[in-house]
């Protein structure tokens, strides 16, 4: 999920008031072992953040911002994934924080990428994703949220609509790309990452005119499949955006572009093998079960 922030002086003053008025709850300390701490380079919380339970308006008032998950194994996995994802795109880590709510655990079933260079990841979505598909599902979700960071940095996506669908589908594509790249999660077989893709499509929606529409389950499946296919090539964020929407116009506009790819023509021969498949994923002709067994 993507959140933009353009604070006025008044809003800034209100935020300061909220922070200084928050409860005196101590945050957990980062649990990275010393050998990993240097490579991860996760920004440490400031003095106010350490003593405040205040998160922001997108989380419940009882939510608590933390630097750790429930154990060091989970925390270290997410911090190391954050480093790998950012490094794949030649960038340093954004601020990664975790959100817990002891009073309402399920209220943290969310992950949000902020235009201010932060990703907040809910406890509930982390542990549900892990229980349903293992670590790879959370790697995919984190890569999706970092995809929004790339959108903020490079003013992407190049396609706009009245809903959030292009932003969200491209972020799905960024996630699929990361899971395949050798310097990323390094899974060359699509069947190896089926659990992650199944989770992505399960949180699609059919509110096609709602401003926050993320794409239907079938559209999300085709987006992550396309990102995985583009992972055959080393692309910049801008080149990924160009190729993603070049081949994905069938989902957004109803017809696939069949003209020559002028920016990366070498990709055309490879992608031409998959155009019909992508159409069938989007229309549902390829079922969710068949999708999991694609090569």
């Amino acid at each position: 999920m993507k959140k933009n922030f353009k604070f006025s002086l008044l809003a800034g003053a209100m935020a300061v008031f909220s922070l200084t008025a928050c409860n005196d709850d101590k945050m957990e300390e980062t649990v990275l072992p010393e050998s990993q701490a240097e490579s991860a380079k996760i920004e440490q919380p400031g003095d106010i953040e350490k003593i405040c339970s205040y998160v922001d308006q997108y989380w419940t008032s009882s939510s608590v911002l933390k630097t750790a998950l429930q154990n060091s194994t989970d925390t270290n996995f997410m911090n190391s994934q954050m480093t790998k994802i950012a490094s794949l795109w030649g960038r340093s880590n954004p601020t990664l924080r975790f959100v817990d709510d002891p009073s309402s655990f399920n209220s943290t079933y969310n992950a949000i990428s902020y235009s201010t260079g932060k990703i907040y990841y809910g406890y509930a979505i982390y542990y549900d994703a892990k229980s349903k598909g293992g670590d790879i599902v959370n790697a995919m979700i984190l890569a999706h949220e970092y995809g929004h960071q790339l959108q903020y940095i490079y003013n992407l996506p190049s396609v706009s609509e009245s809903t959030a669908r292009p932003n969200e589908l491209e972020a799905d594509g960024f996630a699929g790309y990361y899971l395949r790249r050798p310097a990323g999660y390094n899974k060359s077989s699509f069947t190896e990452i089926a659990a992650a893709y199944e989770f992505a499509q399960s949180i699609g929606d059919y509110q096609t005119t709602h401003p926050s529409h993320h794409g239907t389950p079938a559209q999300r499946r085709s987006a992550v499949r396309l990102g995985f296919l583009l992972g055959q090539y080393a692309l910049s964020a801008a080149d990924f955006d160009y190729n993603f929407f070049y081949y994905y116009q069938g989902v957004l506009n109803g017809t696939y572009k069949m003209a020559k790819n002028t920016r990366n023509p070498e990709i055309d021969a490879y992608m031409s093998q998959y155009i019909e498949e992508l159409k069938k994923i989007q229309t549902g002709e390829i079922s969710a079960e068949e999708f999991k067994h694609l090569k």
Side-chain angles (χ1 to χ4, degrees):
M1 181 178 290
K2 186 176 181 182
K3 294 293 181 186
N4 284 292
F5 290 90
K6 294 182 180 178
F7 291 118
S8 65
L9 289 175
L10 176 61
M14 291 174 65
V16 170
F17 174 80
S18 298
L19 285 169
T20 56
C22 67
N23 296 329
D24 189 17
D25 292 335
K26 295 289 184 181
M27 290 184 66
E28 295 181 20
E29 296 298 325
T30 303
V31 294
L32 275 175
E34 185 175 349
S35 61
Q36 295 183 26
E38 178 62 26
S39 62
K41 296 182 180 178
I42 302 296
E43 180 187 336
Q44 297 304 304
D47 291 338
I48 292 178
E49 193 178 11
K50 285 181 179 178
I51 64 171
C52 291
S53 62
Y54 174 82
V55 181
D56 60 38
Q57 67 269 36
Y58 301 106
W59 306 86
T60 61
S61 60
S62 53
S63 294
V64 181
L65 195 63
K66 298 183 175 182
T67 56
L69 288 162
Q70 291 177 355
N71 59 68
S72 61
T73 300
D74 291 335
T75 304
N76 292 342
F77 171 76
M78 289 295 280
N79 284 339
S80 65
Q81 284 299 300
M82 188 75 273
T83 298
K84 287 187 72 173
I85 294 166
S87 296
L88 179 67
W89 299 101
R91 303 198 61 85
S92 57
N93 291 12
T95 298
L96 176 63
R97 294 287 182 268
F98 306 101
V99 182
D100 185 20
D101 186 343
S103 301
S104 179
F105 184 80
N106 288 338
S107 71
T108 62
Y109 202 95
N110 203 358
I112 300 178
S113 187
Y114 297 82
S115 60
T116 49
K118 302 179 295 186
I119 295 174
Y120 287 177
Y121 207 105
Y123 267 41
I125 196 170
Y126 177 86
Y127 286 105
D128 184 54
K130 184 175 182 178
S131 70
K132 289 179 176 175
D135 287 337
I136 193 171
V137 183
N138 281 303
M140 184 209 69
I141 296 171
L142 189 59
H144 171 106
E145 295 305 325
Y146 188 77
H148 290 314
Q149 292 295 309
L150 294 173
Q151 291 170 343
Y152 296 134
I153 294 164
Y154 297 110
N155 195 29
L156 303 174
S158 57
V159 169
S160 62
E161 285 189 335
S162 60
T163 74
R165 182 171 63 166
N167 305 69
E168 298 301 331
L169 293 180
E170 182 177 54
D172 284 340
F174 278 128
Y177 180 86
Y178 169 74
L179 292 182
R180 183 173 188 176
R181 290 300 298 160
Y185 211 77
N186 194 26
K187 296 295 185 182
S188 59
S189 170
F190 193 75
T191 55
E192 292 182 277
I193 54 180
Y197 288 98
E198 190 66 13
F199 188 86
Q201 68 87 25
S202 73
I203 54 177
D205 67 86
Y206 293 96
Q207 297 177 306
T208 57
T209 60
H210 193 280
S212 64
H213 175 51
H214 279 41
T216 66
Q219 289 170 353
R220 299 199 74 170
R221 283 200 296 269
S222 54
V224 289
R225 174 63 169 172
L226 176 54
F228 174 84
L229 294 173
L230 291 175
Q232 176 78 4
Y233 299 89
L235 300 171
S236 67
D239 281 342
F240 180 91
D241 175 86
Y242 172 86
N243 282 282
F244 181 84
F245 287 108
Y246 179 88
Y247 294 108
Y248 207 67
Q249 289 299 317
V251 169
L252 297 177
N253 297 333
T255 57
Y256 279 81
K257 287 184 178 179
M258 300 304 292
K260 191 69 176 176
N261 182 337
T262 58
R263 189 159 176 169
N264 300 102
E266 71 280 5
I267 298 179
D268 257 351
Y270 174 74
M271 286 302 303
S272 65
Q273 308 170 63
Y274 298 99
I275 295 299
E276 287 302 315
E277 174 197 279
L278 289 169
K279 287 182 181 179
K280 290 179 179 179
I281 295 171
Q282 188 271 331
T283 61
E285 291 179 66
I286 292 179
S287 68
E289 186 61 31
E290 291 171 321
F291 178 78
K292 291 189 290 185
H293 298 289
L294 294 173
K295 302 298 183 183

